[in-house]
Amino acid sequence: MHRKGRIEREFDIDAAKYISSLHFDKEILESVILVNITHVKLLEKIGVIPSDLAEKAERYLQEMLTKPPSLDDPRYEDVHMVIEAELTKYVPQIGASLALGKSRNDAVVTAIKLRLKERLLNFHECCITFCEALLRKALEESGTIFPVYTHLQRAAPATFGFVMHSYAIRLLKALQHVKMVYELVDESPLGSAAVAGTSVPLDREYASSLLGFSKVSQNALESTTSRDFIIEALSCLSIIALILSSLSEELVVFSSEEFGLIEFPEEFSATSSIMPQKRNPVVAEIARTKVSELLGLLTSVVMMGTRQVSGYNLDLQQITPKLWQAFEIMEETLHVMTKLIPNLKVNEDRCMAACSPPTGIVEVANHLSLKYGVPFRNAHAFAGRISKLMYEGGLNEASLQKTKAEFNIEAPLTLEDVMKLMEPIRVVYSYTTIGSANPELVKRAVEDSMMDLEEEKRWARNKRARLEFALNKLKGRD
Ligand code: ARG
């Protein structure tokens, strides 16, 4: 259709379809239009197009934002060609100049970065909402006894709030990467042209500020070729997918009848088509596996970036949709998990049983060391023997005193003392170190995390305001 240059013959229609990005260009349609509005302004600024026509073109491009052109004809190759063709229909003089100093190579990466900034902010917001759900639950359950495991063996009494808070903290840490990726992406490649810059004296700083970027990229070859920022984004989404996966795995395992520590909410469970007694934790199963989908996307993107000499290659085009798919997956997952968390119920009897003696037996050893100066190794060996007796059902006052003598422990310690020391509520309130599962400390730590979350929100509000301020102007909506 619009092929000129060296090629004279019409492009084979199947080949055109095969190489076209139109079916996934919708995501960047608006950004591409904004890039074109900016470019018209740049050309006007250097006097190569008259102001009246520039204004007409801008207005027409702004209208396109609300009445987007169809992206159905593969002969156009991509959204850039569609926009140029559309503009040429209405303001031919400007349409004909639109590619002066601008290539699809710098235009596309500028549009991707612009859209990615918006998506990162939306994603950041989804994470914040999810994190709030975790923190609320953590506060609500800060005193609810819950066992924690190492090697999937009962390790220590803790609380469900403590466990929820651990996930909130993981998420808050991962959010730091989201912000880093935002900063990385926040630079304008526009004006890099095809690969080495251009002799057209475009004001790149002006373009960058019009598009709401905070700086200008510094090497045209790098900025048109590199998709490292997509790998960064996908890596950080994968970390968050992993966090959700661990949480989901715990929900699946702990809600099974074998563990029975939590009740998986009915609204998020499905039954079996044949075994009516089943209550399958299906939402958590799907959320658990999303990390694999994310890693699949990340792996494809890394592989697509290999075997390329730098400078734009069409391979790069195939990377872009993977990025948007990853955001879809993660936003959906976060949304449903945010709804699920408040509905989780702890089975307090089962948890209490799992935390009961000898789960907290290290406290007997700690007591002997702290209060009576018994060397910890000796106290540990003694406590180990006590736990063995308990498992075998042979612990009583007589066997306790006999074991004490055997380990040369002179401290006064009765069976009642031993049982009291391991009492789950006493154990959790006895924790004193920062970050421990003591309900009082967990409450304080959750409050600190809530403040961190407020800081996150401020960051996002600030970035969004800056971006929207710039883009609304370009859209003619200020
Ligand atoms: N559709 C392309 C993409 O998404 C735009 C850049 C095409 N550049 C080119 N020289 N063919 O990456």
Side-chain angles (χ1 to χ4, degrees):
M1 195 182 231
H2 309 272
R3 293 157 67 78
K4 300 251 162 49
R6 245 178 99 176
I7 302 176
E8 282 168 7
R9 269 174 290 169
E10 199 70 15
F11 202 4
D12 179 276
I13 186 67
D14 291 320
K17 263 191 211 147
Y18 186 61
I19 63 112
S20 172
S21 59
L22 280 171
H23 56 289
F24 52 75
D25 278 346
K26 194 163 181 283
E27 181 77 34
I28 54 167
L29 174 64
E30 181 174 305
S31 312
V32 171
I33 296 174
L34 295 175
V35 166
N36 278 294
I37 296 176
T38 304
H39 193 62
V40 168
K41 286 186 188 293
L42 297 188
L43 294 178
E44 183 198 349
K45 190 161 184 261
I46 55 171
V48 294
I49 55 175
S51 294
D52 55 335
L53 286 181
E55 258 166 48
K56 196 169 166 204
E58 276 172 38
R59 238 177 297 119
Y60 185 69
L61 286 165
Q62 284 167 346
E63 273 166 32
M64 247 189 235
L65 292 167
T66 44
K67 284 185 233 104
S70 139
L71 299 180
D72 289 338
D73 187 345
R75 286 171 301 179
Y76 282 104
E77 282 192 40
D78 59 26
V79 60
H80 312 274
M81 302 305 265
V82 172
I83 308 271
E84 186 177 315
E86 283 291 311
L87 187 65
T88 307
K89 276 193 226 156
Y90 292 90
V91 201
Q93 305 89 317
I94 305 297
S97 297
L98 205 58
L100 177 64
K102 173 172 75 60
S103 153
R104 284 182 287 167
N105 301 351
D106 63 342
V108 76
V109 72
T110 308
I112 296 170
K113 287 188 170 173
L114 195 55
R115 182 67 186 132
L116 180 52
K117 281 171 65 182
E118 289 171 339
R119 293 222 67 156
L120 283 167
L121 291 178
N122 295 344
F123 176 68
H124 185 273
E125 198 173 311
C126 292
C127 290
I128 293 287
T129 316
F130 178 59
C131 199
E132 268 173 343
L134 288 172
L135 290 176
R136 263 199 292 275
K137 194 74 182 163
L139 215 49
E140 209 177 288
E141 310 280 4
S142 60
T144 314
I145 294 298
F146 198 84
V148 286
Y149 296 80
T150 60
H151 313 270
L152 199 55
Q153 306 289 316
R154 285 177 193 169
T159 70
F160 193 57
F162 174 71
V163 175
M164 289 290 102
H165 186 226
S166 76
Y167 283 104
I169 294 256
R170 278 179 78 177
L171 201 64
L172 271 162
K173 288 186 178 172
L175 277 179
Q176 308 314 305
H177 296 279
V178 177
K179 292 192 292 189
M180 264 167 51
V181 175
Y182 189 95
E183 303 297 343
L184 201 67
V185 169
D186 195 12
E187 64 167 29
S188 170
L190 196 62
S192 300
V195 62
T198 171
S199 55
V200 182
L202 300 172
D203 184 345
R204 293 197 57 208
E205 299 282 355
Y206 178 51
S208 165
S209 78
L210 286 174
L211 288 164
F213 285 106
S214 67
K215 54 187 176 303
V216 159
S217 66
Q218 293 299 310
N219 181 295
L221 180 56
E222 182 274 339
S223 61
T224 51
T225 303
S226 171
R227 295 295 184 270
D228 294 349
F229 66 96
I230 296 190
I231 298 179
E232 302 268 3
L234 287 179
S235 310
C236 115
L237 262 60
S238 301
I239 294 176
I240 295 179
L242 178 63
I243 297 171
L244 286 161
S245 179
S246 326
L247 171 62
S248 302
E249 166 77 356
E250 292 199 352
L251 298 183
V252 170
V253 172
F254 294 158
S255 67
S256 74
E257 273 178 87
E258 277 61 24
F259 274 82
L261 301 177
I262 53 172
E263 238 178 73
F264 199 81
E266 263 188 26
E267 312 88 297
F268 298 85
S269 310
T271 190
S272 150
S273 57
I274 179 170
M275 300 163 285
Q277 85 283 8
K278 298 289 293 295
R279 240 177 79 166
N280 301 330
V282 286
V283 167
E285 289 171 294
I286 298 290
R288 174 174 64 185
T289 216
K290 290 293 179 187
V291 64
S292 322
E293 291 182 33
L294 258 286
L295 287 177
L297 294 170
L298 175 60
T299 310
S300 356
V301 167
V302 173
M303 290 315 292
M304 284 187 233
T306 63
R307 296 163 290 106
Q308 289 184 54
V309 173
S310 57
Y312 186 90
N313 300 291
L314 202 53
D315 310 46
L316 296 178
Q317 166 180 292
Q318 300 307 101
I319 290 178
T320 316
K322 306 287 174 200
L323 177 64
W324 314 131
Q325 275 169 34
F327 278 103
E328 296 303 325
I329 294 173
M330 291 311 294
E331 281 171 12
E332 209 187 352
T333 305
L334 283 163
H335 175 66
V336 67
M337 291 302 282
T338 302
K339 287 173 79 178
L340 184 147
I341 295 295
N343 294 297
L344 286 171
K345 284 201 180 65
V346 177
N347 184 340
E348 295 188 19
D349 295 341
R350 290 291 285 258
C351 291
M352 202 50 124
C355 289
S356 292
T359 300
I361 195 145
V362 68
E363 295 307 330
V364 173
N366 287 353
H367 172 80
L368 292 174
S369 293
L370 289 175
K371 196 145 183 216
Y372 300 102
V374 178
F376 184 74
R377 264 297 145 248
N378 191 23
H380 177 274
F382 165 74
R385 179 70 63 81
I386 299 294
S387 78
K388 189 164 189 289
L389 283 170
M390 285 190 81
Y391 278 118
E392 290 164 355
L395 183 67
N396 51 42
E397 196 61 60
S399 62
L400 173 72
Q401 297 313 326
K402 192 164 156 254
T403 313
K404 266 173 62 189
E406 214 178 296
F407 284 83
N408 294 322
I409 288 174
E410 281 158 18
L413 189 74
T414 64
L415 185 58
E416 200 190 329
D417 295 334
V418 168
M419 298 314 273
K420 248 196 211 142
L421 281 166
M422 281 187 274
E423 207 284 305
I425 296 182
R426 197 211 73 87
V427 173
V428 294
Y429 278 96
S430 75
Y431 296 144
T432 51
T433 50
I434 297 172
S436 68
N438 182 324
E440 293 307 326
L441 297 179
V442 170
K443 260 192 244 162
R444 250 182 277 157
V446 169
E447 273 151 23
D448 286 350
S449 298
M450 281 175 169
M451 264 146 70
D452 292 344
L453 214 56
E454 288 308 312
E455 188 61 44
E456 289 296 322
K457 286 187 199 167
R458 265 196 294 283
W459 174 86
R461 261 201 306 274
N462 186 7
K463 294 290 175 191
R464 202 185 278 281
R466 279 190 58 175
L467 188 59
E468 278 177 2
F469 180 73
L471 297 189
N472 279 338
K473 263 192 174 167
L474 271 187
K475 291 176 187 171
R477 294 178 197 155
D478 53 336

